[in-house]
Amino acid sequence: YVSADPINDVQAEVKEWAGEKKIEIESLKKQELFRREFLSNVSHEFKTPLFAIQGYIEMLHDCITDDPEQAKHFLNKADKNVERLSYLINDLESISKLESGEISMNYEKFDIVLLAKETLTHLEDNALKKKIKLQIQDKYTTPAIVLADKEKIRTVLINLIQNSIKYGRENGTTDIKIFELHDQYLIEITDNGIGIEEKHLIRLFERFYRVDSHRSREVGGTGLGLAIVKHILEAHEQTISVRSTPYIGTTFAFTLHRVK
Ligand code: ADP
């Protein structure tokens, strides 16, 4: 190949190379910003329960001899915050493994209706505390076989159903519906709880994004549940979506690969 315009060719090549480098640097900068933001989020998340524990221990010192009842109350409060820290560590571990691609998916064939029923039974006591009814339609008589990582999908279901309880109303309901599509199943989890304003929906799956941080902490949230759910479904090359109306309720819907 003999070029008619060698100098221009070289210039074009250099330009292209510089363009590529620029994109690379931009993406490294973005990653760095992301990491810094993540670290500052994480330390903030740790500080809140740690400071609380510190405070309760101080108050314990003051009342342990004169007021054992009060002391017990502070101990319980400290305990709750220790629990929060351990949830946080667990979720952080999951998310960092998922993000680094360190864990591979263990694909197997299983019945998604059965798994949904198992998960509902597992969370029944939790729901009972708020008198929330967990239900799945009885019409699913034939098995709905999917190809996916069963334990990870169990985590997806647990996180979504737990949210429907945490942000659900007393005496409310959580409904699970499973629809057969062409080569997928669509799984919908619907609650009639507090709902989410539209402006929040787009950021809902980001790590540590919460509509109401106070409420999330109050109900034992880490702010990582939906980010974990999204990562798991992305690793399966499947999707999740959400629709919601404030004060009416919320539906999360995700797909799984259907085995015909
Ligand atoms: P958290 O641990 O705070 O629950 P998630 O990542 O699971 O974190 O959810 C992020 C936020 O999305 C929650 O803090 C809450 O504001 C909102 N959210 C999630 N699920 C629901 C739901 N079913 N109804 C209303 N709000 C919800």
Side-chain angles (χ1 to χ4, degrees), residues 120-153:
L120 289 184
T121 311
H122 172 72
L123 293 173
E124 231 161 37
D125 285 349
N126 221 335
L128 218 60
K129 288 182 203 149
K130 272 176 93 171
K131 300 198 186 78
I132 287 177
K133 223 195 284 131
L134 305 179
Q135 43 194 33
I136 180 162
Q137 285 180 339
D138 277 332
K139 67 170 190 186
Y140 307 113
T141 45
T142 49
I145 307 296
V146 297
L147 181 67
D149 183 321
K150 189 173 175 187
E151 290 318 307
K152 304 258 174 355
I153 300 305

Side-chain angles (χ1 to χ4, degrees), residues 159-204:
N159 286 0
L160 294 177
I161 299 167
Q162 241 165 10
N163 276 353
S164 79
I165 300 170
K166 289 194 307 200
Y167 306 105
R169 71 179 76 221
E170 295 257 338
N171 294 309
T173 51
T174 295
D175 272 294
I176 300 205
K177 287 192 183 129
I178 295 167
F179 301 95
E180 195 177 292
L181 308 180
H182 178 58
D183 49 9
Q184 283 169 317
Y185 280 106
L186 180 75
I187 298 98
E188 280 196 355
I189 291 136
T190 302
D191 64 58
N192 52 4
I194 61 172
I196 304 160
E197 270 182 87
E198 197 179 344
K199 64 176 182 196
H200 297 290
L201 292 181
I202 192 161
R203 300 196 56 193
L204 217 58

Side-chain angles (χ1 to χ4, degrees), residues 35-246:
R35 236 193 306 263
R36 241 182 295 161
E37 231 177 59
F38 183 57
L39 263 179
S40 104
N41 278 336
V42 168
S43 48
H44 177 77
E45 294 299 326
F46 272 88
K47 266 185 201 158
T48 322
L50 264 180
F51 284 170
I53 293 166
Q54 218 172 16
Y56 290 124
I57 289 177
E58 250 167 51
M59 292 193 272
L60 255 173
H61 275 301
D62 296 339
C63 70
I64 195 148
T65 43
D66 320 328
D67 195 346
E69 258 328 289
Q70 185 74 323
K72 216 191 257 171
H73 171 73
F74 290 145
L75 257 178
N76 279 337
K77 289 273 190 188
D79 226 20
K80 267 256 146 3
N81 282 281
V82 171
E83 196 179 55
R84 256 186 61 194
L85 278 178
S86 77
Y87 286 151
L88 189 60
I89 290 169
N90 268 342
D91 279 358
L92 274 173
E93 249 170 20
S94 307
I95 210 149
S96 78
K97 278 188 192 153
L98 281 164
E99 284 186 1
S100 66
E102 206 180 296
I103 28 178
S104 49
M105 297 291 135
N106 258 327
Y107 287 100
E108 60 179 303
K109 291 177 190 170
F110 62 91
D111 183 353
I112 184 66
V113 173
L114 220 57
L115 185 71
K117 284 183 178 166
E118 265 175 47
T119 314
L120 289 184
T121 311
H122 172 72
L123 293 173
E124 231 161 37
D125 285 349
N126 221 335
L128 218 60
K129 288 182 203 149
K130 272 176 93 171
K131 300 198 186 78
I132 287 177
K133 223 195 284 131
L134 305 179
Q135 43 194 33
I136 180 162
Q137 285 180 339
D138 277 332
K139 67 170 190 186
Y140 307 113
T141 45
T142 49
I145 307 296
V146 297
L147 181 67
D149 183 321
K150 189 173 175 187
E151 290 318 307
K152 304 258 174 355
I153 300 305
R154 196 192 297 276
T155 303
V156 167
L157 286 168
I158 289 178
N159 286 0
L160 294 177
I161 299 167
Q162 241 165 10
N163 276 353
S164 79
I165 300 170
K166 289 194 307 200
Y167 306 105
R169 71 179 76 221
E170 295 257 338
N171 294 309
T173 51
T174 295
D175 272 294
I176 300 205
K177 287 192 183 129
I178 295 167
F179 301 95
E180 195 177 292
L181 308 180
H182 178 58
D183 49 9
Q184 283 169 317
Y185 280 106
L186 180 75
I187 298 98
E188 280 196 355
I189 291 136
T190 302
D191 64 58
N192 52 4
I194 61 172
I196 304 160
E197 270 182 87
E198 197 179 344
K199 64 176 182 196
H200 297 290
L201 292 181
I202 192 161
R203 300 196 56 193
L204 217 58
F205 295 93
E206 286 175 23
R207 298 184 290 209
F208 298 119
Y209 189 80
R210 294 149 162 140
V211 174
D212 177 346
S213 310
H214 180 74
R215 188 194 281 261
S216 158
R217 296 210 172 91
E218 199 76 351
V219 292
T222 62
L224 292 172
L226 288 180
I228 290 173
V229 163
K230 185 169 172 250
H231 274 298
I232 292 175
L233 292 169
E234 270 175 3
H236 281 79
E237 293 179 358
Q238 299 296 324
T239 54
I240 178 152
S241 62
V242 54
R243 50 182 198 272
S244 186
T245 314

